[in-house]
Amino acid sequence: MRKAFAQATSARHASLREIPLVAYAEEAPIIRRYWRTVLNTRLTRTADLVVPDLRGVLTAVRAGAGASVLPTYLCAKELAAGEVVLLADPEVPPLNTIYLATRADTGSRSPAVAVRGRLLQRLPARPNR
């Protein structure tokens, strides 16, 4: 079973090599994370087109400039309309960890404290580490 998965991953990786990549930064952090997590290999190429805004990346992909990795919330409407398509649908998609940082002395009425409270309300319960 492991060998079949490796062959399928290699074939998918080879076919993706032919598609131009569109990223929001030269380092292509979202694409690199996706490549590492889903394809189980390092991305060894650079983006063919860099657009410094995820909405611009989506616009470029919709216009046929290439492929990218985008958050679902950003392209859900375009996916539903068939304007963009999934090249892969991993069982467990890569995580995109977001950190909220603020000064320790901001006080309880700080907007950052309010944002943190709302985020914690919406997140599923997690065991403490």
Side-chain angles (χ1 to χ4, degrees), residues 1 15-16 26 29-30 33 46 53 60 62 76 79 88-89 95 116 118 125 128:
M1 187 62 153
S15 66
L16 289 175
E26 286 186 36
I30 296 175
R33 184 179 314 115
T46 58
D53 178 86
R62 286 179 60 210
L79 281 167
D89 191 12
L95 295 177
R116 179 183 184 274
R118 291 289 296 212
N128 291 335

Side-chain angles (χ1 to χ4, degrees), residues 20-23 49 51 54-70 75 83-85 87:
L21 294 179
V22 182
L49 176 63
V51 182
L54 287 176
R55 293 168 301 221
V57 170
L58 175 58
T59 299
V61 169
R62 286 179 60 210
S68 192
V69 176
L70 294 166
C75 60
E83 296 172 6
V84 296
V85 296
L87 295 179

Side-chain angles (χ1 to χ4, degrees), residues 10-22:
S10 296
R12 188 171 18 158
H13 182 251
S15 66
L16 289 175
R17 247 181 279 178
E18 306 301 320
I19 301 171
L21 294 179
V22 182

Side-chain angles (χ1 to χ4, degrees):
M1 187 62 153
R2 177 70 108 177
K3 185 176 180 183
F5 174 75
Q7 287 172 341
T9 301
S10 296
R12 188 171 18 158
H13 182 251
S15 66
L16 289 175
R17 247 181 279 178
E18 306 301 320
I19 301 171
L21 294 179
V22 182
Y24 75 90
E26 286 186 36
E27 301 81 24
I30 296 175
I31 298 172
R32 286 187 187 288
R33 184 179 314 115
Y34 186 89
W35 225 263
R36 169 73 84 188
T37 305
V38 175
L39 300 176
N40 202 28
T41 187
R42 294 182 74 108
L43 179 65
T44 57
R45 57 185 276 213
T46 58
D48 298 282
L49 176 63
V50 176
V51 182
D53 178 86
L54 287 176
R55 293 168 301 221
V57 170
L58 175 58
T59 299
V61 169
R62 286 179 60 210
S68 192
V69 176
L70 294 166
T72 305
Y73 72 83
L74 184 66
C75 60
K77 183 178 84 175
E78 289 80 1
L79 281 167
E83 296 172 6
V84 296
V85 296
L86 291 174
L87 295 179
D89 191 12
E91 189 173 321
V92 180
L95 295 177
N96 191 13
T97 304
I98 298 172
Y99 296 92
L100 175 65
T102 185
R103 291 175 33 158
D105 62 350
T106 58
S108 62
R109 298 181 58 114
S110 160
V113 172
V115 168
R116 179 183 184 274
R118 291 289 296 212
L119 289 172
L120 290 174
Q121 287 174 351
R122 298 193 58 119
L123 292 174
R126 288 180 46 180
N128 291 335
R129 292 184 186 180

